[in-house]
Amino acid sequence: MSPRTPGAGAGKWSERFAGATSELMFQFNSSLSYDQRLAAHELRASIAHARMLGRQGIIPKKDAAKIVAGLRLLERLRAAGRLRLDVPEEDIHTLVEKELTRRIGAAGKKLHTARSRNDQVNAVTRLWLRDAIDAQQRLILLLRRALLRQAQAHAATVMPGYTHLQVAQPTTLGHHLHAYDCMLARDAARLADCRRRVNVLPLGAAALAGTGFAIDPRMVAKELGFDSIFANSMDAVADRDYAIEYAHCAAQLLLHLSRLGEEIVIWASQPFGFVRVADAFSTGSSIMPQKRNPDAAELLRGKAGRALGALQALMTMVKGQPLTYNKDNQEDKEALFDSAATAASCLQVAAPMVASLEFDAGRMRAAAEQGYAAATELADALVRKGVSFRSAHARVARLVRLAESRGLALAELPAAEARRATGLTAAELRAALTIDRVLAGRRSPGSPQPKQVARAAARELRRVEKLLAA
Ligand code: ARG
């Protein structure tokens, strides 16, 4: 029985073996079903490697040219959907080498000179991840634009701000949405930082200990757009923290989206009635004819679990692994692919869903008025008259208890009673209880003052638009 390409389906793995690989082992070992999505990047990386081999005189220039032409043909076939990927091969790297050799003959057998799948797989995965990060950055910008446009439109829309999900102090919807934009801006910055560490070429480390051939990894790095090359060949093949770091970026982003999703679910519930999610992003019930469920928002809340799972899987995969490459590392791909795909789909849906939200400003204002949100402001008014904050707190707390016992809002209490209980004049009471005046007076930085919110949203929107146009 003669061996096929090492790792191919039938027969023995290589000349090293006397017996054939068991079918069960072959299936267990093969990553082709999922790493085939690396095909385009595998071809690019192999082209760069072959050109370098030729340029350095490691293989004859004629052979290098033949290999590059063959790989370009495979690129065209792949783009046309005609590169067969449903074949019994161990992984995408083996498949490409074998398909190349089938088409161009003996020269194809020289492609794997001075490289190993250990450095190759990391190079190809990093290339793929770099593209995924760039695509994700754009999707983040699109969601930020949707959030910021809503924030701008609602810079002065009064709503209750919550702590413990209990009405706390008045804020504006614009302020609330701008808070999510701040989170997303950090997610984007985190991703950009991660990209710098992803964009380092490991090809040239070979199996783990470099190579005696006069390779030029810098040339390969330049051709593939990597910023720099590995510093240590063992680290280059063993490292998976670039994948873990990305998975963390995705998990953190999806944690933020899960909070946004939950807000929308709460706001869209009947007791709140703050927002209506458009038909396009809602679904009904198979039994209850009246239902209109904010499924898109619920899925944003739920999907975070997958990303957290992927991060956990990657960290656990690496834990305790001795240097250098171990087959455990093949398990990085499905987790990485899933976390990138989940992040992308959540961002893709979140942007138009947020843009579609229709808010009920009347109900939001009423909720702020009913919930004693002005209490802190009343206490502050007393402080301005020289009362200590603690005593002011106690006085207003008693007033709230009184109002609550009668089922009244603070502004609905008889004026004389409120004056007596607090020691504030009618004008001072009115000022503290008029939400718009309170918000306009919020001069501290990053506050819900409508002027500040409008300015912050406009500034960020300009930045986002500029990045989207670039
Ligand atoms: N498919 C493998 C992976 O994903 C490629 C590297 C295999 N290297 C090896 N020595 N078996 O990690």
Side-chain angles (χ1 to χ4, degrees):
M1 190 169 21
S2 81
R4 314 211 325 213
T5 312
K12 54 189 189 179
W13 203 92
S14 75
E15 287 297 335
R16 168 70 178 80
F17 299 87
T21 310
S22 105
E23 182 55 30
L24 211 52
M25 172 56 191
F26 177 76
Q27 297 294 341
F28 190 54
N29 194 38
S30 173
S31 52
L32 185 59
S33 64
Y34 46 88
D35 70 13
Q36 55 179 260
R37 80 189 66 192
L38 297 174
H41 299 89
E42 162 61 37
L43 289 164
R44 270 182 71 194
S46 284
I47 288 171
H49 180 69
R51 284 165 48 99
M52 183 277 291
L53 290 178
R55 165 93 82 83
Q56 295 298 101
I58 298 169
I59 63 173
K61 290 209 163 36
K62 231 173 54 239
D63 287 337
K66 246 179 142 173
I67 293 173
V68 170
L71 291 169
R72 291 225 188 282
L73 170 66
L74 296 189
E75 278 189 328
R76 287 194 297 278
L77 289 173
R78 194 206 66 83
R82 282 168 49 220
L83 179 64
R84 284 202 57 185
L85 298 165
D86 57 338
V87 292
E89 286 297 335
E90 187 170 307
D91 57 27
I92 188 64
H93 320 292
T94 319
L95 180 146
V96 163
E97 188 185 337
K98 182 179 160 192
E99 191 56 26
L100 175 73
T101 304
R102 195 172 72 79
R103 287 174 186 270
I104 70 166
K109 296 185 184 177
K110 297 187 177 174
L111 171 60
H112 209 54
T113 311
R115 79 174 185 187
S116 151
R117 280 182 301 159
N118 298 353
D119 56 346
Q120 194 181 343
V121 69
N122 250 356
V124 173
T125 308
R126 284 167 181 270
L127 263 186
W128 176 88
L129 185 55
R130 194 178 72 191
D131 283 352
I133 288 174
D134 293 345
Q136 194 173 313
Q137 287 285 23
R138 211 183 150 70
L139 293 174
I140 293 177
L141 287 172
L142 292 171
L143 174 55
R144 290 190 61 198
R145 185 170 70 181
L147 278 167
L148 288 165
R149 283 179 177 166
Q150 290 277 21
Q152 215 171 22
H154 293 286
T157 302
V158 171
M159 75 176 290
Y162 298 87
T163 62
H164 313 266
L165 202 53
Q166 305 282 321
V167 172
Q169 292 182 359
T171 184
T172 66
L173 176 57
H175 194 52
H176 201 135
L177 295 175
H178 177 242
Y180 280 96
D181 180 65
C182 293
M183 298 176 220
L184 287 170
R186 285 196 299 278
D187 291 330
R190 220 180 326 270
L191 208 50
D193 199 48
C194 167
R195 190 192 193 276
R196 293 193 301 122
R197 279 176 290 279
V198 167
N199 206 26
V200 179
L201 178 77
L203 199 63
L208 77 157
T211 171
F213 293 105
I215 58 167
D216 183 359
R218 277 181 227 295
M219 174 187 164
V220 176
K222 195 159 168 231
E223 181 160 337
L224 296 174
F226 283 101
D227 296 328
S228 58
I229 70 161
F230 63 98
N232 177 299
S233 62
M234 294 180 82
D235 180 46
V237 297
D239 168 38
R240 289 294 179 283
D241 48 79
Y242 73 91
I244 294 174
E245 191 174 347
Y246 169 75
H248 172 254
C249 289
Q252 181 61 75
L253 166 77
L254 290 177
L255 285 176
H256 287 151
L257 295 192
S258 79
R259 300 183 75 171
L260 178 63
E262 170 66 347
E263 306 258 29
I264 294 169
V265 169
I266 293 173
W267 294 348
S269 70
Q270 282 84 359
F272 276 75
F274 287 180
V275 75
R276 188 177 164 87
V277 180
D279 285 357
F281 297 98
S282 303
T283 60
S285 155
S286 58
I287 175 170
M288 297 166 283
Q290 86 286 8
K291 291 282 273 177
R292 239 179 137 270
N293 300 325
D295 285 30
E298 292 169 62
L299 282 168
L300 286 185
R301 187 178 59 190
K303 294 272 188 190
R306 289 174 72 139
L308 293 172
L311 173 60
Q312 185 76 31
L314 286 168
M315 291 193 296
T316 312
M317 177 194 86
V318 166
K319 182 190 172 298
Q321 264 195 52
L323 296 187
T324 50
Y325 177 84
N326 301 285
K327 195 66 178 238
D328 315 41
N329 290 334
Q330 180 164 283
E331 288 294 310
D332 66 353
K333 276 164 220 70
E334 284 170 294
L336 195 59
F337 294 158
D338 193 64
S339 89
T342 305
S345 69
C346 286
L347 287 165
Q348 265 158 2
V349 167
M353 193 262 282
V354 164
S356 85
L357 297 177
E358 276 179 42
F359 292 94
D360 187 332
R363 281 191 69 110
M364 293 178 116
R365 177 181 288 272
E369 273 159 6
Q370 295 307 310
Y372 307 111
T376 314
E377 196 58 32
L378 276 181
D380 286 350
L382 283 167
V383 168
R384 284 191 198 97
K385 298 186 75 167
V387 181
S388 76
F389 183 75
R390 256 321 132 230
S391 315
H393 187 285
R395 253 193 248 179
V396 177
R398 279 194 293 273
L399 189 71
V400 168
R401 192 138 55 93
L402 179 73
E404 193 191 48
S405 70
R406 299 200 200 149
L408 296 176
L410 286 171
E412 291 164 352
L413 277 172
E417 218 167 327
R419 278 203 309 274
R420 216 174 319 115
T422 55
L424 291 167
T425 67
E428 286 162 345
L429 275 167
R430 215 175 315 111
L433 292 174
T434 309
I435 293 181
D436 299 276
R437 278 179 69 172
V438 169
L439 286 173
R442 283 275 191 261
R443 280 182 212 94
S444 58
S447 81
Q449 185 190 48
K451 239 179 16 196
Q452 274 196 56
V453 173
R455 213 182 305 125
R459 185 190 57 227
E460 288 308 308
L461 200 51
R462 270 197 306 277
R463 281 193 190 146
V464 164
E465 298 279 15
K466 213 166 125 194
L467 288 167
L468 277 170

